[in-house]
Amino acid sequence: YRLDLCTWAEVEQYLTKCKGIILPIGSTEQHGPTGAIGTDALTAEAVALEVGKRAGVLVAPTQAYGMAEHHLGFPGTMSLQSSTLLNVVHDLLLSLARHGFERVFVVNGHGGNIATVKAAFSQAYKTVLNLKLPVAAGFRCKLVSWFMVPDVFKEAKARYGNLEGQHATPSEIAVTLFLEPNLQSKQRQLPEPAPAGPIYDYQDFRQRYPDGRMGSDPFLAKPDHGEIFLDKAAIALTEDLLNFLKEL
Amino acid sequence: YRLDLCTWAEVEQYLTKCKGIILPIGSTEQHGPTGAIGTDALTAEAVALEVGKRAGVLVAPTQAYGMAEHHLGFPGTMSLQSSTLLNVVHDLLLSLARHGFERVFVVNGHGGNIATVKAAFSQAYKTVLNLKLPVAAGFRCKLVSWFMVPDVFKEAKARYGNLEGQHATPSEIAVTLFLEPNLQSKQRQLPEPAPAGPIYDYQDFRQRYPDGRMGSDPFLAKPDHGEIFLDKAAIALTEDLLNFLKEL
Amino acid sequence: YRLDLCTWAEVEQYLTKCKGIILPIGSTEQHGPTGAIGTDALTAEAVALEVGKRAGVLVAPTQAYGMAEHHLGFPGTMSLQSSTLLNVVHDLLLSLARHGFERVFVVNGHGGNIATVKAAFSQAYKTVLNLKLPVAAGFRCKLVSWFMVPDVFKEAKARYGNLEGQHATPSEIAVTLFLEPNLQSKQRQLPEPAPAGPIYDYQDFRQRYPDGRMGSDPFLAKPDHGEIFLDKAAIALTEDLLNFLKEL
Amino acid sequence: YRLDLCTWAEVEQYLTKCKGIILPIGSTEQHGPTGAIGTDALTAEAVALEVGKRAGVLVAPTQAYGMAEHHLGFPGTMSLQSSTLLNVVHDLLLSLARHGFERVFVVNGHGGNIATVKAAFSQAYKTVLNLKLPVAAGFRCKLVSWFMVPDVFKEAKARYGNLEGQHATPSEIAVTLFLEPNLQSKQRQLPEPAPAGPIYDYQDFRQRYPDGRMGSDPFLAKPDHGEIFLDKAAIALTEDLLNFLKEL
Amino acid sequence: YRLDLCTWAEVEQYLTKCKGIILPIGSTEQHGPTGAIGTDALTAEAVALEVGKRAGVLVAPTQAYGMAEHHLGFPGTMSLQSSTLLNVVHDLLLSLARHGFERVFVVNGHGGNIATVKAAFSQAYKTVLNLKLPVAAGFRCKLVSWFMVPDVFKEAKARYGNLEGQHATPSEIAVTLFLEPNLQSKQRQLPEPAPAGPIYDYQDFRQRYPDGRMGSDPFLAKPDHGEIFLDKAAIALTEDLLNFLKEL
Amino acid sequence: YRLDLCTWAEVEQYLTKCKGIILPIGSTEQHGPTGAIGTDALTAEAVALEVGKRAGVLVAPTQAYGMAEHHLGFPGTMSLQSSTLLNVVHDLLLSLARHGFERVFVVNGHGGNIATVKAAFSQAYKTVLNLKLPVAAGFRCKLVSWFMVPDVFKEAKARYGNLEGQHATPSEIAVTLFLEPNLQSKQRQLPEPAPAGPIYDYQDFRQRYPDGRMGSDPFLAKPDHGEIFLDKAAIALTEDLLNFLKEL
Ligand code: NI
Ligand code: NI
Ligand code: NI
Ligand code: NI
Ligand code: NI
Ligand code: NI
């Protein structure tokens, strides 16, 4: 179910049976003093692969870089501008549309990508219609963010209460601890976080949230929580995806 | 040495000792009837990680999508337009320059990326100077393609002769067999390939190279060859990188 | 409080006392068989002017055209592509930042604008920082959609229940009836609307929602409801704006 | 005749009888120490509505923001870059072309828009042909600037002589006084204006024309002059429009 | 006085004495059944070189390609889109500004370039200010079209009356006959031209002006007329340029 | 064989017999303390015209400006950004494709253009396919750089050894001396050049190569060498072109 391990002939075969594909998109950005910079890509990829396995749907490679301009005040953050990410998503969707994929399920790991990905859907629909691709009448894209799945969010609130926070959250860190056990060695007790609040530019962000956390206590995260979050996300999104594929 | 597994605080620390970073860039495109679509990303990432380990230099996440417009005639190929890829590389370089990275070593797995990445370097230099970033006086980028390393190329010619070909080559396939042993099950004897020749648009490409191969016989590839290619690439590029870092 | 009726000298004077400004953004798009094409611009402008009056804050001219690509299947819809709207908002924000405005309160009348306007904020912050404008340290933008104000939404649900729907809603139509009484002559009983559902491209939209309505019954709208919605929106957003201006 | 007060069904009906539409475009920019910042949008809109009424042709909403880069030295000016305005006009024209409008009559209120709008026409023609829209063979756009109508210009010269000047002219101010009588309270005797001359960048502009006027004395403007200018513009442009609609 | 024949050291020296430079811009487009496709570039270059010689001002190489979209219906026309030409002119102006050139005198040979070049000036001024280049306070550009010089235009009217027309005019053809005597062999009596009229897209253009001429009779052109036009253009533009250089 | 001296009718005729065209592209950039700034355009044009004459193939006007960002540290260099040049080449190729040209042979005079021109080919192929131009099935572009022709390179090495260097080389200077004999007066003995090395941004370039030369001794150049280089380039490229035209 990993596109990158398929041959083109296998994809051609797959398309005779299924027109759906999963496209994971993450971000490469600071996640507080103890969280991994790759958190959003690692988690989006893991969720996507799990959903792909359960639904029997192909998973494209993860776009590891997203729109993380507001995190650029912290070393290691690598961000695409909105306009660039818009074009990336547009071009990938167009590639898929050309091959006859009709349902693209974008599994997202980063809140900052949402606006731009939605804008990209709109541009892609327009290009597909303009080019009169054979797939035009049925080409549809859906964006889901695994951390916004209701069951995931409820679980996080139940476990961590307000200390779930809004960035570098224990729920996403837990998933990375489950995926990359070595990351546990970075975990340590942290001082009280800056309270969650608005997001403006990256200088303001660093001043407002000096260690990168927005109201979260990632020290609460444990690997086994991560396994549970991953499972809850996969259950809900697999159902979502199957409905999306069945949609007329 | 994987940036995505570091925290921002670790990167801050790292930058006090080393200003270099490795950025792998691949492509997601057909590699003949038996080769994996992710070949160029898998191999670029593996080489980059190996060089990073040997040189003690951070490796950023792999940009899995590159410029593969001429492969769009084969299902599964996902391509960024040149102008999009140019902006992707520009934005990533700018992010790094902001943090004080002075040497970006781009490890490439796909010939089709070369022109665009070079164009992106030129745009990035301009922006860095325009913004008068503190790093401006010392910011430099270098593009290396692992498959063009002389020792790799010589080894490939010695092992496969003309059947190395120009796309879906046994050398790159061998590396993927070493990295993902399951891929061996796809290997099979193939008919004589279309001879290597010019590359124009994707319709012409598919007509000229009906199964996607350009003069290559990937069935010659063996996992242990892959290990050797990987090692030869890593040896040469590690030296290259260390010289690049020492350059005044 | 209308910027377009001020002189530059008055604006210069105003800036010595207040750094805030309201920017209304609408859309020019079909609103069902009986709703006005200008609904989103008319309502956003009315809310913005009411908030400006109550808060004593300048209101810039309304950007009457927004991102309405999915409505292009209906005659009269005039839409900017996402990338265009992104640049429009970026340029307007930059103009304001140059003059020393520090808080831009964007009052939006159309759901389809939200993603793009947020993407534009991110680009604008970046440019403001890159240009090192004097205002850089304090420049902030906030997007509010009047129809998503909780008290407005609650009122609409209370009055119309599920027939509020998702597009060409009785609540927005009510506001236009209050603002432009002549529009009442267009009101008429309509057949049951297509149920609300997903939005993809404009061909799909017209097929799915043949008369342009998404689950709404705009015939329920009355001018006096409109006055109430306007007031509720103005109350909540005025408070929002005043807090935004006070924010450190 | 206001598009924003029509329903899509009315537009569909209208298109069976007339393929023309008027698109007003203004600017939001300084107009001297006593002139309204919205002068160019207010006047373009008023002229457009008057022409629409007389000719029985639909009038689209006013694009209130234009290319006013050279006025950015004065607070309150809000400008789109040329490249942005080009895309705005392009996208609006394309929206109209899709619906079957064949004659777009752009009524302009600002000299600084002319070059960019013309460039946009050329891009729009190209896109319409590239997309092979049904309307392609007959799609035509015409730009008229109300203040350049010979009868308007002659009248202004007759009334104000050289003190008509080139920016913040008494003729355009007179129209705003007629449209918005409250603006009369801002009128006052002004010192001799800087003589009209060339326009370069906005810093140079403010140095050259310290109060924003280019050789004009807007204190000469009276509301009843405005009514006359409006009428003369409407007479000439209505004839122009009717000829444009009749053109084979 | 040809920049392309100078060394950089000579330019450095030149800049200590003069901050002006001439930039010729032409077009490569049909000029009727007997006129040369390069007419606009050949004439702009000749005028520019003559003015440069007389004024002692450097002349940059000719940008041979301009905005000629409406001529694309005739084989041999090679056109840049408006947005492309805008960027070309922007980049060239920025290059000159970086070196300290303060007055760029653009000598144009093609009406279709005017709008775009003016838009480019505005973008270039903005970039120069944004970058705070040392030259920012004094950087100015001026566009002149040799065929619109009053003395040239009067001479053409005197010689050819209405048969001067609007495209493929005898005046511009005469200049090419003077510059390239071999072109005389192409001259021949032509049927009455289509009358001059509006310009829309390239399909409409070819239908309206089937042989490419707009109301002109290029057979009236003689080489010695060309010499006179060239001289009249050079006299007027040399004076223009000298005034431009002296402007404070 | 010069397109700019043809009429459109002659081009229409030509296209019935030959679908090929030559497009020369140069650069306007420093070439050391004694070399002409126009070297790359002068030489590309001369080679292109010679090849055109020998092969009987039309030669389009020279695009005199290329991507020379790294030379901007030297006065007189005029450079297009990569993204701009990409669009220039794209637009010119599209113009040619529209007319039915099937083989575009781009003769290049500047190493810095190569990456961008290749990227442009890829974009142009895509547009040609997207527009379904009649020529789509056979449209092909080929980039050749005259100074990289093996026989030219060998001759240069034989004559100048290592002092051929990498920029402002005696071989390219020799061609300019042959074309423009007046340039000989600038020739003089120069101090030992900085050794050839890497190219980064333009500040770094000027520091690394203080007089603009990269390891070259242009004083070795003689006009008669230039004639030989020109001839060798023309022989090889004429053959190349004829093969390109014959290619199925
Ligand atoms: Ni995250
Ligand atoms: Ni490969
Ligand atoms: Ni609405
Ligand atoms: Ni005005
Ligand atoms: Ni001409
Ligand atoms: Ni050169």
Side-chain angles (χ1 to χ4, degrees), chain B residues 7 53 55 57 67 69 78 84 89 100 120-121 130-131 136 141 166-167 183 186 197 220 222:
Chain B
T7 66
K53 190 163 68 182
V57 170
M67 206 295 286
E69 299 287 288
M78 295 173 71
T84 303
V89 176
F121 284 1
N130 280 350
L131 295 179
C141 305
Q166 284 181 13
H167 183 66
L183 291 174
K186 303 187 202 275
L220 301 174
K222 302 289 169 218

Coordinates of all heavy atoms in Angstrom, one line a residue, chain B residues 7 53 55 57 67 69 78 84 89 100 120-121 130-131 136 141 166-167 183 186 197 220 222:
Chain B
T7 N 15.4 18.1 18.6 CA 14.6 19.2 19.1 C 15.2 20.5 18.6 O 16.4 20.5 18.2 CB 14.6 19.3 20.6 OG1 15.9 19.6 21.1 CG2 14.1 17.9 21.2
K53 N 25.9 10.3 8.8 CA 26.5 9.6 9.9 C 28.0 9.6 9.8 O 28.6 9.9 10.9 CB 26.0 8.1 9.7 CG 26.3 7.3 10.9 CD 25.4 6.0 10.9 CE 25.9 5.0 9.8 NZ 25.1 3.8 9.7
A55 N 30.0 11.8 8.4 CA 30.6 13.2 8.5 C 30.1 13.9 9.8 O 30.6 14.9 10.1 CB 30.2 14.0 7.3
V57 N 27.1 15.1 10.3 CA 26.4 16.3 9.8 C 24.9 16.0 9.8 O 24.5 14.9 9.4 CB 26.9 16.7 8.4 CG1 26.0 17.8 7.8 CG2 28.3 17.3 8.5
M67 N 11.0 17.1 -9.9 CA 10.5 17.5 -11.2 C 10.6 16.3 -12.1 O 11.7 15.9 -12.6 CB 11.5 18.6 -11.7 CG 10.8 19.5 -12.8 SD 10.3 18.7 -14.3 CE 12.0 18.5 -15.1
E69 N 8.3 15.7 -14.8 CA 7.2 15.9 -15.8 C 7.2 14.9 -16.9 O 6.2 14.5 -17.4 CB 7.3 17.4 -16.4 CG 7.2 18.4 -15.3 CD 5.8 18.6 -14.9 OE1 4.9 19.1 -15.6 OE2 5.5 18.2 -13.7
M78 N 4.4 11.3 -9.7 CA 3.9 12.5 -9.1 C 4.9 13.5 -9.2 O 6.0 13.4 -8.6 CB 3.5 12.3 -7.6 CG 2.3 11.3 -7.5 SD 1.9 10.9 -5.8 CE 1.2 12.4 -5.2
T84 N 7.5 25.2 -9.5 CA 7.2 24.9 -8.1 C 8.4 24.3 -7.3 O 8.6 24.8 -6.2 CB 6.1 23.8 -8.1 OG1 4.9 24.3 -8.8 CG2 5.6 23.4 -6.7
V89 N 12.7 24.5 -3.2 CA 14.1 24.5 -2.8 C 14.5 25.9 -2.2 O 15.2 26.0 -1.2 CB 15.0 24.1 -3.9 CG1 16.5 24.1 -3.6 CG2 14.6 22.6 -4.3
G100 N 21.1 30.3 10.4 CA 22.6 30.4 10.4 C 23.3 29.3 9.8 O 24.6 29.2 9.9
A120 N 17.3 27.2 -8.5 CA 16.8 27.6 -7.1 C 18.0 28.2 -6.3 O 17.8 29.1 -5.5 CB 16.2 26.4 -6.4
F121 N 19.2 27.6 -6.4 CA 20.3 28.1 -5.7 C 20.5 29.6 -6.0 O 20.7 30.5 -5.1 CB 21.6 27.4 -6.1 CG 21.8 26.0 -5.5 CD1 20.8 25.5 -4.7 CD2 22.9 25.3 -5.7 CE1 20.9 24.2 -4.1 CE2 23.0 24.0 -5.2 CZ 22.1 23.5 -4.4
N130 N 19.5 40.0 -0.6 CA 18.5 41.1 -0.5 C 18.0 41.3 0.9 O 17.8 42.5 1.3 CB 17.3 40.8 -1.4 CG 17.5 41.1 -2.9 OD1 18.5 41.7 -3.2 ND2 16.6 40.6 -3.7
L131 N 17.9 40.2 1.6 CA 17.4 40.4 3.0 C 18.5 40.7 4.0 O 18.3 40.9 5.2 CB 16.7 39.1 3.5 CG 15.5 38.7 2.7 CD1 14.9 37.3 3.3 CD2 14.4 39.7 2.9
A136 N 24.7 36.1 5.2 CA 24.9 36.3 3.8 C 26.3 36.1 3.3 O 26.5 35.5 2.2 CB 24.4 37.7 3.4
C141 N 25.6 26.8 -1.3 CA 24.9 25.5 -1.5 C 25.7 24.7 -2.5 O 26.3 25.2 -3.4 CB 23.5 25.8 -2.1 SG 22.5 26.9 -1.0
Q166 N 20.1 4.6 -18.9 CA 19.9 6.0 -18.4 C 18.8 6.2 -17.4 O 18.7 7.2 -16.8 CB 19.9 6.9 -19.6 CG 21.2 7.2 -20.2 CD 21.1 8.1 -21.4 OE1 20.1 8.8 -21.5 NE2 22.2 8.2 -22.2
H167 N 17.8 5.3 -17.4 CA 16.7 5.4 -16.4 C 16.3 4.0 -16.0 O 16.3 3.1 -16.8 CB 15.6 6.2 -17.0 CG 14.5 6.4 -16.0 ND1 14.7 7.2 -14.9 CD2 13.2 5.9 -15.9 CE1 13.6 7.2 -14.2 NE2 12.7 6.4 -14.7
L183 N 11.5 -5.8 -2.3 CA 11.4 -5.4 -3.7 C 11.9 -6.5 -4.6 O 11.6 -6.5 -5.8 CB 12.1 -4.1 -3.9 CG 11.5 -2.8 -3.3 CD1 12.4 -1.6 -3.5 CD2 10.1 -2.5 -4.0
K186 N 9.8 -8.4 -7.0 CA 9.3 -7.8 -8.3 C 10.2 -8.1 -9.5 O 9.9 -7.9 -10.6 CB 9.1 -6.3 -8.2 CG 8.1 -5.9 -7.0 CD 7.8 -4.4 -7.1 CE 7.4 -3.9 -5.7 NZ 5.9 -4.1 -5.5
G197 N 18.0 7.5 -25.3 CA 18.0 8.6 -26.3 C 17.5 9.9 -25.7 O 17.7 10.0 -24.4
L220 N 19.6 -7.1 -13.8 CA 21.0 -7.4 -13.4 C 21.3 -7.0 -11.9 O 22.3 -7.4 -11.4 CB 21.9 -6.7 -14.3 CG 21.8 -7.0 -15.8 CD1 22.7 -6.1 -16.6 CD2 22.2 -8.5 -16.0
K222 N 21.4 -6.6 -8.0 CA 21.3 -7.5 -6.8 C 21.5 -6.7 -5.6 O 22.2 -5.7 -5.6 CB 22.5 -8.5 -6.9 CG 22.6 -9.4 -8.1 CD 21.4 -10.4 -8.2 CE 21.4 -11.1 -9.6 NZ 20.0 -11.3 -10.1

